[in-house]
Amino acid sequence: MNKILTLIVFTICFSLSAQNQISKKYYDVIEEKVIEWRRHFHQYPELSNREFKTAEKIAKHLKELGMEVQTGIAHTGVVALLKGNQPGKVVALRADIDALPVTERNDLSFKSEVVTEFGGENVGVMHACGHDTHIAILMGVAEVLSKNKDKIKGTIKFIFQPAEEGPPEGEEGGALLMVKEGVLKNPDVDAIFGLHINSQTPVGVIRYKSGGTMAAAQSFTIKVKGKQSHGSQPWSGVDPILISAKIIDGLQTIISREANLTNEAAVITVGKITSGVRYNIIPESAEMIGTIRTLDYGMKDHINKRMEEMVAGIAKTYGGEATIEIKETTDITYNDPDLVVKMLPTMQRVAGLNNVQTQKAITGAEDFSYFQREVPGFYFFLGGMTPGNKVPYPHHTPDFKIDDSGLLLGVKTLSELSLDFLNQ
Protein backbone atom coordinates (compact mmCIF):
# COMPACT_ATOMS: atom_id res chain seq x y z
CA MET A 1 0.00 0.00 0.00
CA ASN A 2 2.82 2.42 0.93
CA LYS A 3 4.54 1.78 -2.43
CA ILE A 4 1.32 2.53 -4.31
CA LEU A 5 0.79 5.76 -2.34
CA THR A 6 4.39 6.84 -2.99
CA LEU A 7 3.93 6.17 -6.71
CA ILE A 8 0.73 8.24 -6.78
CA VAL A 9 2.42 11.17 -5.00
CA PHE A 10 5.44 10.93 -7.32
CA THR A 11 3.20 10.89 -10.41
CA ILE A 12 1.20 13.91 -9.26
CA CYS A 13 4.34 15.90 -8.37
CA PHE A 14 6.01 14.94 -11.64
CA SER A 15 3.03 15.98 -13.75
CA LEU A 16 2.70 19.26 -11.86
CA SER A 17 6.39 20.05 -12.31
CA ALA A 18 6.30 19.22 -16.01
CA GLN A 19 3.74 21.98 -16.50
CA ASN A 20 6.23 24.57 -15.25
CA GLN A 21 9.09 23.61 -17.51
CA ILE A 22 10.88 26.61 -19.04
CA SER A 23 11.36 26.65 -22.79
CA LYS A 24 14.68 25.24 -23.97
CA LYS A 25 15.48 28.47 -25.87
CA TYR A 26 16.07 30.36 -22.61
CA TYR A 27 18.62 27.82 -21.42
CA ASP A 28 20.35 27.68 -24.80
CA VAL A 29 20.90 31.43 -24.71
CA ILE A 30 22.10 31.61 -21.11
CA GLU A 31 24.82 28.92 -21.11
CA GLU A 32 27.46 31.00 -22.90
CA LYS A 33 26.85 33.93 -20.55
CA VAL A 34 27.13 31.74 -17.46
CA ILE A 35 30.48 30.35 -18.61
CA GLU A 36 31.73 33.86 -19.37
CA TRP A 37 30.68 35.12 -15.91
CA ARG A 38 32.24 32.12 -14.22
CA ARG A 39 35.58 32.69 -15.92
CA HIS A 40 35.54 36.38 -15.02
CA PHE A 41 34.94 35.67 -11.33
CA HIS A 42 37.58 32.94 -11.41
CA GLN A 43 40.15 35.33 -12.84
CA TYR A 44 39.36 38.07 -10.32
CA PRO A 45 38.63 36.33 -6.98
CA GLU A 46 38.21 38.11 -3.64
CA LEU A 47 38.53 36.84 -0.07
CA SER A 48 35.78 36.65 2.55
CA ASN A 49 34.13 39.98 3.51
CA ARG A 50 36.23 41.66 0.80
CA GLU A 51 34.14 40.67 -2.24
CA PHE A 52 33.60 44.32 -3.30
CA LYS A 53 34.02 44.08 -7.08
CA THR A 54 32.31 40.68 -7.15
CA ALA A 55 29.25 42.15 -5.40
CA GLU A 56 29.28 45.19 -7.69
CA LYS A 57 29.12 43.01 -10.83
CA ILE A 58 26.36 40.84 -9.37
CA ALA A 59 24.25 43.84 -8.33
CA LYS A 60 24.64 45.50 -11.73
CA HIS A 61 23.36 42.39 -13.49
CA LEU A 62 20.36 42.01 -11.19
CA LYS A 63 19.40 45.68 -11.51
CA GLU A 64 19.55 45.40 -15.30
CA LEU A 65 17.03 42.56 -15.01
CA GLY A 66 14.65 44.97 -13.26
CA MET A 67 14.85 43.42 -9.80
CA GLU A 68 14.67 45.07 -6.38
CA VAL A 69 18.30 44.89 -5.23
CA GLN A 70 19.89 45.41 -1.81
CA THR A 71 23.65 45.59 -1.33
CA GLY A 72 25.91 45.68 1.71
CA ILE A 73 24.10 42.84 3.47
CA ALA A 74 26.50 41.17 5.91
CA HIS A 75 29.24 43.49 4.58
CA THR A 76 29.29 42.58 0.87
CA GLY A 77 26.21 40.44 0.30
CA VAL A 78 23.69 41.11 -2.46
CA VAL A 79 19.98 40.25 -2.22
CA ALA A 80 17.40 40.66 -4.98
CA LEU A 81 13.66 40.03 -5.30
CA LEU A 82 11.84 38.78 -8.37
CA LYS A 83 8.06 38.97 -8.04
CA GLY A 84 5.97 36.77 -10.27
CA ASN A 85 2.80 37.77 -12.05
CA GLN A 86 0.75 35.90 -9.45
CA PRO A 87 0.86 36.03 -5.63
CA GLY A 88 2.14 33.06 -3.66
CA LYS A 89 4.90 31.74 -1.44
CA VAL A 90 8.53 32.90 -1.24
CA VAL A 91 11.47 30.71 -2.22
CA ALA A 92 15.12 31.69 -1.71
CA LEU A 93 18.13 30.64 -3.77
CA ARG A 94 21.64 31.07 -2.40
CA ALA A 95 25.13 31.28 -3.89
CA ASP A 96 28.33 31.88 -1.91
CA ILE A 97 30.76 34.37 -3.47
CA ASP A 98 34.11 34.29 -1.63
CA ALA A 99 37.44 32.77 -2.66
CA LEU A 100 40.32 31.21 -0.71
CA PRO A 101 43.93 32.16 0.13
CA VAL A 102 45.34 29.60 -2.34
CA THR A 103 47.87 30.24 -5.11
CA GLU A 104 46.51 28.75 -8.33
CA ARG A 105 48.66 26.18 -10.13
CA ASN A 106 47.29 25.24 -13.55
CA ASP A 107 47.29 26.35 -17.18
CA LEU A 108 43.81 27.84 -17.49
CA SER A 109 43.56 30.88 -19.76
CA PHE A 110 41.52 32.58 -17.00
CA LYS A 111 43.84 31.54 -14.16
CA SER A 112 43.89 33.86 -11.15
CA GLU A 113 46.99 36.02 -10.74
CA VAL A 114 45.53 37.91 -7.78
CA VAL A 115 47.75 38.34 -4.72
CA THR A 116 46.62 39.94 -1.46
CA GLU A 117 47.47 40.15 2.22
CA PHE A 118 46.10 37.43 4.49
CA GLY A 119 47.19 36.66 8.04
CA GLY A 120 50.11 39.06 7.73
CA GLU A 121 51.44 37.40 4.58
CA ASN A 122 51.13 37.97 0.84
CA VAL A 123 49.13 35.07 -0.60
CA GLY A 124 47.54 34.08 -3.87
CA VAL A 125 43.76 34.19 -4.11
CA MET A 126 41.82 31.48 -5.93
CA HIS A 127 38.28 30.18 -6.34
CA ALA A 128 39.54 26.80 -5.20
CA CYS A 129 36.12 25.60 -4.06
CA GLY A 130 33.97 26.53 -7.04
CA HIS A 131 32.11 29.52 -5.61
CA ASP A 132 32.75 31.29 -8.93
CA THR A 133 30.51 28.68 -10.57
CA HIS A 134 27.83 29.20 -7.92
CA ILE A 135 27.72 32.94 -8.61
CA ALA A 136 27.49 32.47 -12.37
CA ILE A 137 24.82 29.78 -12.07
CA LEU A 138 22.61 31.94 -9.86
CA MET A 139 23.07 34.97 -12.12
CA GLY A 140 21.94 32.72 -14.97
CA VAL A 141 18.91 31.54 -12.98
CA ALA A 142 18.00 35.17 -12.27
CA GLU A 143 18.07 36.03 -15.96
CA VAL A 144 16.08 32.97 -17.04
CA LEU A 145 13.38 33.45 -14.41
CA SER A 146 13.14 37.20 -15.00
CA LYS A 147 12.05 36.36 -18.56
CA ASN A 148 9.43 33.90 -17.30
CA LYS A 149 7.54 35.94 -14.69
CA ASP A 150 4.26 34.62 -16.08
CA LYS A 151 5.22 31.18 -14.72
CA ILE A 152 6.08 32.46 -11.24
CA LYS A 153 3.37 32.17 -8.59
CA GLY A 154 4.97 34.06 -5.73
CA THR A 155 8.39 35.60 -5.13
CA ILE A 156 11.96 34.41 -5.62
CA LYS A 157 14.68 35.83 -3.37
CA PHE A 158 18.24 35.64 -4.71
CA ILE A 159 20.89 35.58 -1.97
CA PHE A 160 24.54 36.11 -2.93
CA GLN A 161 26.35 35.40 0.32
CA PRO A 162 29.86 36.50 1.32
CA ALA A 163 32.30 34.75 3.67
CA GLU A 164 31.12 31.16 3.46
CA GLU A 165 34.72 30.12 4.09
CA GLY A 166 34.61 32.12 7.32
CA PRO A 167 35.06 35.82 8.06
CA PRO A 168 38.46 37.30 8.89
CA GLU A 169 39.62 37.12 12.50
CA GLY A 170 37.65 39.52 14.67
CA GLU A 171 34.82 40.02 12.15
CA GLU A 172 31.32 38.63 11.78
CA GLY A 173 30.13 37.36 8.44
CA GLY A 174 28.63 34.65 6.29
CA ALA A 175 25.19 33.10 6.48
CA LEU A 176 24.92 33.61 10.25
CA LEU A 177 25.28 37.38 9.89
CA MET A 178 22.89 37.45 6.93
CA VAL A 179 20.26 35.68 9.02
CA LYS A 180 20.91 38.06 11.89
CA GLU A 181 20.37 41.00 9.52
CA GLY A 182 17.02 39.58 8.41
CA VAL A 183 17.77 38.13 4.98
CA LEU A 184 15.02 35.52 5.39
CA LYS A 185 12.45 38.17 6.34
CA ASN A 186 10.54 40.88 4.48
CA PRO A 187 9.20 38.90 2.69
CA ASP A 188 9.41 35.80 4.85
CA VAL A 189 11.05 32.87 3.07
CA ASP A 190 9.14 29.56 2.97
CA ALA A 191 12.01 27.37 1.69
CA ILE A 192 15.57 27.75 0.45
CA PHE A 193 17.65 25.86 -2.12
CA GLY A 194 21.40 25.79 -2.63
CA LEU A 195 23.97 23.77 -4.53
CA HIS A 196 27.69 23.08 -4.48
CA ILE A 197 29.76 22.15 -7.51
CA ASN A 198 31.83 19.02 -6.96
CA SER A 199 35.08 18.28 -8.78
CA GLN A 200 34.80 14.55 -8.07
CA THR A 201 31.24 14.08 -9.36
CA PRO A 202 30.83 13.66 -13.14
CA VAL A 203 29.18 16.41 -15.18
CA GLY A 204 25.46 15.72 -15.53
CA VAL A 205 25.10 14.02 -12.15
CA ILE A 206 23.37 15.43 -9.06
CA ARG A 207 23.94 13.92 -5.62
CA TYR A 208 22.01 14.54 -2.42
CA LYS A 209 21.13 13.14 1.00
CA SER A 210 17.96 13.62 3.00
CA GLY A 211 18.49 14.72 6.61
CA GLY A 212 22.01 15.48 7.85
CA THR A 213 24.17 15.86 4.75
CA MET A 214 27.16 17.92 5.94
CA ALA A 215 28.62 18.10 9.42
CA ALA A 216 28.37 20.66 12.14
CA ALA A 217 31.86 22.09 12.62
CA GLN A 218 33.17 23.25 15.98
CA SER A 219 36.60 24.51 16.91
CA PHE A 220 38.15 23.89 20.31
CA THR A 221 41.06 25.28 22.32
CA ILE A 222 42.58 23.29 25.18
CA LYS A 223 44.94 25.01 27.62
CA VAL A 224 47.06 22.78 29.84
CA LYS A 225 48.85 24.08 32.93
CA GLY A 226 51.75 22.12 34.43
CA LYS A 227 54.83 23.01 36.47
CA GLN A 228 58.09 23.92 34.80
CA SER A 229 61.23 21.97 35.62
CA HIS A 230 64.59 20.87 34.25
CA GLY A 231 64.29 18.21 31.53
CA SER A 232 66.64 15.97 33.50
CA GLN A 233 64.38 16.06 36.58
CA PRO A 234 60.78 15.46 35.43
CA TRP A 235 59.80 14.36 38.97
CA SER A 236 60.24 17.95 40.15
CA GLY A 237 57.60 19.31 37.80
CA VAL A 238 54.32 18.53 36.02
CA ASP A 239 54.74 17.90 32.30
CA PRO A 240 52.02 19.63 30.21
CA ILE A 241 53.28 17.91 27.04
CA LEU A 242 52.73 14.49 28.56
CA ILE A 243 49.29 15.59 29.76
CA SER A 244 48.50 16.88 26.26
CA ALA A 245 49.45 13.54 24.74
CA LYS A 246 47.19 11.70 27.18
CA ILE A 247 44.33 14.12 26.42
CA ILE A 248 44.73 13.60 22.67
CA ASP A 249 44.70 9.85 23.16
CA GLY A 250 41.70 10.06 25.47
CA LEU A 251 39.66 12.23 23.12
CA GLN A 252 39.93 9.62 20.39
CA THR A 253 38.28 7.05 22.65
CA ILE A 254 35.14 9.20 22.63
CA ILE A 255 34.92 8.51 18.90
CA SER A 256 36.13 4.90 18.92
CA ARG A 257 34.32 3.71 22.06
CA GLU A 258 31.41 6.05 22.81
CA ALA A 259 30.05 7.41 19.51
CA ASN A 260 27.59 5.17 17.68
CA LEU A 261 29.24 5.44 14.28
CA THR A 262 26.67 3.14 12.71
CA ASN A 263 24.21 6.05 12.94
CA GLU A 264 26.37 8.93 11.77
CA ALA A 265 30.05 9.75 11.40
CA ALA A 266 31.91 11.92 13.91
CA VAL A 267 35.46 13.29 14.07
CA ILE A 268 37.69 14.90 16.68
CA THR A 269 40.96 16.23 15.27
CA VAL A 270 43.75 18.06 17.09
CA GLY A 271 45.32 20.20 14.40
CA LYS A 272 47.98 22.05 16.34
CA ILE A 273 49.85 21.75 19.63
CA THR A 274 52.16 24.43 20.97
CA SER A 275 54.46 24.09 23.97
CA GLY A 276 58.00 24.63 25.17
CA VAL A 277 61.03 26.63 24.05
CA ARG A 278 64.02 24.35 24.58
CA TYR A 279 64.94 20.66 24.45
CA ASN A 280 65.96 20.36 28.10
CA ILE A 281 63.16 22.33 29.75
CA ILE A 282 59.81 20.86 30.71
CA PRO A 283 57.52 23.83 30.04
CA GLU A 284 54.84 25.29 32.23
CA SER A 285 51.99 25.16 29.74
CA ALA A 286 50.71 23.78 26.44
CA GLU A 287 47.92 24.70 24.06
CA MET A 288 46.03 22.58 21.56
CA ILE A 289 43.52 23.59 18.92
CA GLY A 290 41.35 21.37 16.77
CA THR A 291 37.99 20.64 15.19
CA ILE A 292 34.91 18.53 15.98
CA ARG A 293 32.62 17.29 13.19
CA THR A 294 29.19 15.80 13.92
CA LEU A 295 26.06 14.95 11.91
CA ASP A 296 23.65 14.28 14.76
CA TYR A 297 22.61 16.74 17.48
CA GLY A 298 22.54 14.08 20.20
CA MET A 299 26.05 12.91 19.31
CA LYS A 300 27.24 16.51 19.19
CA ASP A 301 25.97 17.20 22.72
CA HIS A 302 27.44 13.96 24.08
CA ILE A 303 30.85 14.54 22.49
CA ASN A 304 31.02 18.12 23.79
CA LYS A 305 30.07 17.01 27.31
CA ARG A 306 32.58 14.16 27.37
CA MET A 307 35.39 16.34 26.02
CA GLU A 308 34.84 18.85 28.82
CA GLU A 309 34.84 16.08 31.43
CA MET A 310 37.80 14.23 29.98
CA VAL A 311 40.12 17.21 29.48
CA ALA A 312 39.82 18.35 33.08
CA GLY A 313 39.87 14.80 34.45
CA ILE A 314 42.98 13.62 32.59
CA ALA A 315 44.93 16.73 33.53
CA LYS A 316 44.04 16.28 37.20
CA THR A 317 45.08 12.62 37.09
CA TYR A 318 48.62 13.68 36.07
CA GLY A 319 48.86 16.55 38.54
CA GLY A 320 48.00 19.42 36.21
CA GLU A 321 45.05 21.53 35.18
CA ALA A 322 43.33 21.97 31.84
CA THR A 323 40.44 23.91 30.38
CA ILE A 324 38.61 23.57 27.08
CA GLU A 325 36.67 26.15 25.09
CA ILE A 326 34.40 24.93 22.28
CA LYS A 327 33.06 27.32 19.64
CA GLU A 328 30.55 26.67 16.89
CA THR A 329 31.70 27.30 13.32
CA THR A 330 28.74 25.90 11.40
CA ASP A 331 25.62 23.91 12.22
CA ILE A 332 24.54 20.61 10.62
CA THR A 333 23.54 21.07 6.98
CA TYR A 334 20.16 19.39 7.28
CA ASN A 335 17.99 18.69 4.25
CA ASP A 336 14.35 18.79 5.27
CA PRO A 337 13.03 15.27 4.46
CA ASP A 338 9.55 16.48 3.41
CA LEU A 339 11.04 19.09 1.09
CA VAL A 340 13.36 16.51 -0.43
CA VAL A 341 10.43 14.17 -1.18
CA LYS A 342 8.44 16.99 -2.78
CA MET A 343 11.26 18.29 -4.97
CA LEU A 344 12.95 15.05 -6.00
CA PRO A 345 10.66 14.55 -9.03
CA THR A 346 11.74 17.94 -10.36
CA MET A 347 15.42 17.08 -10.08
CA GLN A 348 14.87 13.70 -11.72
CA ARG A 349 12.95 15.29 -14.57
CA VAL A 350 15.64 17.89 -15.20
CA ALA A 351 18.75 15.72 -14.82
CA GLY A 352 17.32 12.30 -15.71
CA LEU A 353 16.25 9.60 -13.28
CA ASN A 354 19.61 7.77 -13.23
CA ASN A 355 21.60 11.00 -12.86
CA VAL A 356 20.05 11.94 -9.50
CA GLN A 357 21.85 9.83 -6.93
CA THR A 358 21.87 9.54 -3.16
CA GLN A 359 25.13 9.82 -1.26
CA LYS A 360 26.40 9.34 2.27
CA ALA A 361 26.87 12.30 4.58
CA ILE A 362 30.23 14.04 4.50
CA THR A 363 32.21 15.58 7.35
CA GLY A 364 32.86 18.79 5.47
CA ALA A 365 30.83 21.76 6.68
CA GLU A 366 28.70 24.50 5.11
CA ASP A 367 27.20 27.61 6.65
CA PHE A 368 24.13 27.15 4.44
CA SER A 369 23.10 25.28 7.59
CA TYR A 370 22.19 28.58 9.26
CA PHE A 371 19.52 29.24 6.64
CA GLN A 372 18.20 25.70 7.10
CA ARG A 373 18.00 26.25 10.84
CA GLU A 374 15.39 28.94 10.17
CA VAL A 375 13.43 27.53 7.18
CA PRO A 376 13.21 24.19 5.35
CA GLY A 377 16.14 23.83 2.97
CA PHE A 378 17.52 21.48 0.33
CA TYR A 379 21.26 21.52 -0.46
CA PHE A 380 22.66 19.28 -3.18
CA PHE A 381 25.86 18.60 -5.13
CA LEU A 382 26.32 19.30 -8.83
CA GLY A 383 28.78 17.37 -10.99
CA GLY A 384 31.74 19.37 -12.26
CA MET A 385 34.19 16.62 -13.24
CA THR A 386 34.92 15.91 -16.89
CA PRO A 387 33.48 12.43 -17.58
CA GLY A 388 36.24 9.85 -17.68
CA ASN A 389 38.67 11.94 -15.64
CA LYS A 390 40.55 9.43 -13.48
CA VAL A 391 42.40 11.96 -11.29
CA PRO A 392 40.07 14.82 -10.28
CA TYR A 393 41.69 17.47 -8.10
CA PRO A 394 40.09 18.00 -4.67
CA HIS A 395 38.57 21.27 -3.51
CA HIS A 396 40.79 23.76 -1.65
CA THR A 397 43.87 22.75 -3.64
CA PRO A 398 46.01 24.77 -6.11
CA ASP A 399 45.16 22.41 -8.99
CA PHE A 400 41.37 22.45 -8.50
CA LYS A 401 39.42 22.51 -11.78
CA ILE A 402 35.78 22.48 -12.85
CA ASP A 403 34.36 21.53 -16.26
CA ASP A 404 32.23 24.45 -17.49
CA SER A 405 29.88 22.07 -19.30
CA GLY A 406 28.35 21.16 -15.93
CA LEU A 407 27.05 24.64 -15.17
CA LEU A 408 23.92 24.62 -17.31
CA LEU A 409 22.42 21.73 -15.32
CA GLY A 410 22.78 23.89 -12.22
CA VAL A 411 20.86 26.73 -13.89
CA LYS A 412 18.11 24.39 -15.04
CA THR A 413 17.77 22.63 -11.69
CA LEU A 414 17.53 25.76 -9.54
CA SER A 415 15.15 27.40 -12.01
CA GLU A 416 12.79 24.45 -12.18
CA LEU A 417 12.97 23.79 -8.42
CA SER A 418 11.89 27.39 -7.80
CA LEU A 419 8.91 27.24 -10.13
CA ASP A 420 7.76 23.83 -8.98
CA PHE A 421 7.99 24.74 -5.29
CA LEU A 422 5.95 27.91 -5.82
CA ASN A 423 3.36 26.19 -7.97
CA GLN A 424 2.84 22.92 -6.06
Side-chain angles (χ1 to χ4, degrees):
M1 184 67 181
N2 287 339
K3 289 183 178 179
I4 295 172
L5 185 59
T6 301
L7 182 60
I8 292 170
V9 171
F10 178 88
T11 304
I12 292 172
C13 290
F14 190 89
S15 60
L16 281 172
S17 67
Q19 296 172 11
N20 302 321
Q21 192 167 15
I22 292 171
S23 172
K24 182 176 178 293
K25 67 180 182 181
Y26 294 104
Y27 293 129
D28 290 342
V29 170
I30 203 64
E31 183 174 21
E32 187 177 337
K33 290 184 179 181
V34 170
I35 291 172
E36 182 182 334
W37 292 327
R38 182 261 162 155
R39 293 184 177 188
H40 170 85
F41 290 122
H42 190 90
Q43 193 167 6
Y44 303 105
E46 296 175 295
L47 294 179
S48 301
N49 280 1
R50 304 293 185 268
E51 310 94 332
F52 302 112
K53 291 182 180 178
T54 301
E56 185 179 320
K57 187 173 179 67
I58 294 167
K60 181 175 182 292
H61 174 67
L62 298 173
K63 288 175 182 176
E64 288 173 350
L65 296 176
M67 296 189 190
E68 300 175 23
V69 180
Q70 290 181 286
T71 58
I73 310 298
H75 299 298
T76 51
V78 180
V79 178
L81 287 180
L82 176 61
K83 296 179 179 178
N85 290 352
Q86 305 173 63
K89 294 178 288 187
V90 180
V91 66
L93 305 175
R94 175 270 206 165
D96 36 14
I97 67 174
D98 55 330
L100 287 159
V102 174
T103 301
E104 189 159 7
R105 185 176 59 204
N106 58 48
D107 56 0
L108 294 175
S109 62
F110 50 95
K111 172 183 175 180
S112 169
E113 302 287 353
V114 175
V115 176
T116 192
E117 191 267 339
F118 180 81
E121 298 181 28
N122 285 332
V123 296
V125 183
M126 177 188 176
H127 272 295
C129 201
H131 296 185
D132 50 339
T133 69
H134 304 168
I135 305 167
I137 286 170
L138 196 55
M139 286 173 66
V141 173
E143 182 161 331
V144 168
L145 291 177
S146 69
K147 298 180 186 303
N148 286 272
K149 291 177 67 174
D150 60 307
K151 293 181 178 288
I152 300 173
K153 186 179 179 181
T155 301
I156 300 171
K157 182 175 283 192
F158 296 88
I159 300 173
F160 291 85
Q161 178 212 310
E164 188 280 326
E165 299 292 355
E169 189 72 29
E171 297 182 20
E172 288 186 282
L176 187 60
L177 183 57
M178 288 198 115
V179 170
K180 187 186 294 188
E181 293 186 0
V183 75
L184 298 177
K185 303 292 183 182
N186 191 33
D188 293 352
V189 170
D190 293 294
I192 187 166
F193 297 104
L195 60 73
H196 204 302
I197 201 81
N198 187 266
S199 66
Q200 295 170 307
T201 298
V203 163
V205 172
I206 289 174
R207 290 180 176 154
Y208 75 97
K209 180 183 178 295
S210 184
T213 187
M214 296 184 77
Q218 296 173 289
S219 64
F220 64 86
T221 302
I222 297 172
K223 294 184 178 181
V224 181
K225 184 179 179 182
K227 181 182 177 183
Q228 189 162 319
S229 66
H230 197 290
S232 66
Q233 298 177 322
W235 53 84
S236 64
V238 175
D239 189 345
I241 295 177
L242 172 67
I243 293 172
S244 297
K246 297 295 184 181
I247 288 174
I248 293 170
D249 189 44
L251 294 180
Q252 295 311 313
T253 67
I254 299 174
I255 301 299
S256 66
R257 291 296 179 268
E258 297 186 31
N260 187 348
L261 301 180
T262 61
N263 289 339
E264 294 288 1
V267 174
I268 300 174
T269 294
V270 175
K272 182 181 179 183
I273 177 168
T274 307
S275 185
V277 294
R278 186 175 165 84
Y279 74 97
N280 61 351
I281 298 175
I282 292 175
E284 187 173 59
S285 62
E287 181 178 276
M288 292 175 278
I289 57 176
T291 186
I292 309 161
R293 302 297 172 106
T294 49
L295 286 147
D296 175 88
Y297 288 109
M299 289 176 71
K300 176 182 175 183
D301 292 342
H302 176 77
I303 289 169
N304 286 183
K305 177 175 178 290
R306 290 293 291 128
M307 288 180 73
E308 290 169 355
E309 294 170 348
M310 193 172 283
V311 164
I314 290 174
K316 185 177 180 181
T317 298
Y318 290 93
E321 299 174 11
T323 59
I324 181 171
E325 181 182 17
I326 300 173
K327 293 182 179 179
E328 184 177 276
T329 306
T330 61
D331 203 351
I332 297 171
T333 304
Y334 186 85
N335 285 335
D336 182 87
D338 290 338
L339 185 62
V340 171
V341 169
K342 288 178 182 177
M343 305 317 302
L344 195 54
T346 301
M347 297 176 74
Q348 291 170 334
R349 187 196 82 224
V350 174
L353 188 64
N354 293 331
N355 291 326
V356 180
Q357 304 169 1
T358 58
Q359 67 172 34
K360 293 182 178 180
I362 60 176
T363 49
E366 238 290 349
D367 74 353
F368 186 81
S369 55
Y370 291 120
F371 299 124
Q372 292 174 309
R373 199 158 69 176
E374 304 296 323
V375 298
F378 189 0
Y379 190 78
F380 58 93
F381 297 90
L382 177 70
M385 179 183 76
T386 303
N389 185 356
K390 301 298 184 184
V391 193
Y393 291 110
H395 293 240
H396 289 220
T397 66
D399 304 296
F400 174 79
K401 283 185 182 180
I402 287 297
D403 190 324
D404 286 336
S405 66
L407 306 187
L408 184 59
L409 179 57
V411 175
K412 289 180 177 180
T413 305
L414 287 180
S415 298
E416 302 292 338
L417 283 172
S418 302
L419 293 181
D420 290 353
F421 175 81
L422 294 176
N423 285 282
Q424 278 185 12

